[in-house]
Amino acid sequence: MCVHGWMLSGRLWQPLIAQLQPQWEVWAPNLPGFGGSPRPRGLQPTLPSYGRWLAEASRERAQGRPLVLIGHSLGGSLVLHAAPLLGDQLQGVVQVAAGGGVYQPRPFRMVRRGGAGFLRWRPGWLAELPGTEAIRSPLVAELRAARGLLACSMQRGAVQQLPGLTAQLAVPSLWVVGSRDTVMEPRYVRHLAGYSPDHQVELLEGEGHLPMRTAPERLAQLISAWLNAQSVASPRSWSSASCA
């Protein structure tokens, strides 16, 4: 199951899914409140609440089969929150451009302000124009979900919790980051990955924050080779394919 990051949607993963199939069966849903998918009542815009949703959705989709969670950016934090709830059904974790665990007051404050400003002034009407599908997700994301998850993920407690959640991983993990990623720099990915008992870090030379879009073939080769080497899943044992 592929989990997208903040203000994005499941369609982010389409190029990667095209490379992984048919060997692997993949599901890339929209998180509730993003990509036009509604947020149900009771789902709070916090990392723990979305982590519980992710675990429940994964179990329902997998129908008892083994599964692997793949997270991107903020989606990687949701994966860490969901992992302890999946027990033996979870066979592995792949983190793409996901790291952190180091609280930085000033940069985080700037990100919060920038994100809040974008949400306040984003031109929602633009999403209705032809040819704007590529930028639709940020324009239609639910305000409360987007603002809440951004604020929650930037809190000192949430950031400092990530190393502990990573250390609790009971399955192998693969961490992939682009050498030119300025959103989540490689050093922060390596830092968080280092807390995982059984981890592997791979650097994609020349890539930025969205390697599933810019280098899907290279990323798919890394993931497939790691899955086969670790024997964490057999072909077509992930939850079934659905791209939002």
Side-chain angles (χ1 to χ4, degrees):
M1 180 170 178
C2 298
V3 190
H4 65 78
W6 188 68
M7 296 291 278
L8 300 172
S9 71
R11 70 185 301 272
L12 173 79
W13 299 99
Q14 288 178 347
L16 178 65
I17 290 175
Q19 295 293 326
L20 289 172
Q21 292 177 333
Q23 181 183 12
W24 307 101
E25 194 168 358
V26 190
W27 182 37
N30 292 333
L31 291 172
F34 298 88
S37 297
R39 181 171 59 90
R41 295 184 63 181
L43 178 59
Q44 300 301 313
T46 66
L47 296 178
S49 187
Y50 266 77
R52 289 190 293 271
W53 174 89
L54 175 58
E56 292 170 4
S58 299
R59 280 196 298 264
E60 181 178 352
R61 187 75 182 195
Q63 294 290 303
R65 292 174 293 172
L67 58 88
V68 171
L69 293 180
I70 303 179
H72 171 253
S73 196
L74 181 73
S77 297
L78 301 184
V79 164
L80 292 177
H81 280 270
L85 307 177
L86 289 168
D88 293 340
Q89 191 173 6
L90 183 66
Q91 298 291 292
V93 163
V94 178
Q95 300 281 47
V96 181
V102 180
Y103 184 70
Q104 303 178 79
R106 184 177 179 183
F108 285 7
R109 185 166 57 249
M110 293 175 63
V111 172
R112 284 197 301 269
R113 288 177 178 174
F118 171 79
L119 290 170
R120 187 180 304 114
W121 301 109
R122 60 182 171 165
W125 54 267
L126 189 61
E128 305 302 323
L129 297 180
T132 59
E133 180 62 26
I135 60 172
R136 184 176 184 274
S137 298
L139 300 176
V140 301
E142 181 195 298
L143 177 61
R144 186 162 181 254
R147 188 164 53 192
L149 280 179
L150 178 65
C152 177
S153 65
M154 296 287 172
Q155 291 176 354
R156 182 187 298 269
V159 173
Q160 294 179 340
Q161 187 181 19
L162 294 179
L165 290 172
T166 304
Q168 293 173 20
L169 285 176
V171 295
S173 58
L174 172 66
W175 303 70
V176 184
V177 61
S179 65
R180 296 184 179 179
D181 191 339
T182 58
V183 177
M184 182 57 67
E185 296 178 22
R187 56 177 172 160
Y188 295 121
V189 173
R190 292 192 182 96
H191 171 79
L192 189 58
Y195 289 93
S196 178
D198 182 4
H199 72 276
Q200 178 179 330
V201 179
E202 294 289 344
L203 188 71
L204 283 175
E205 288 292 342
E207 299 302 326
H209 194 57
L210 300 172
M212 70 287 295
R213 305 292 298 187
T214 60
E217 184 174 356
R218 292 170 63 195
L219 181 57
Q221 289 172 349
L222 276 178
I223 293 174
S224 292
W226 179 79
L227 288 172
N228 288 320
Q230 297 293 330
S231 298
V232 297
S234 58
R236 302 192 64 76
S237 63
W238 296 2
S239 46
S240 59
S242 173
C243 230

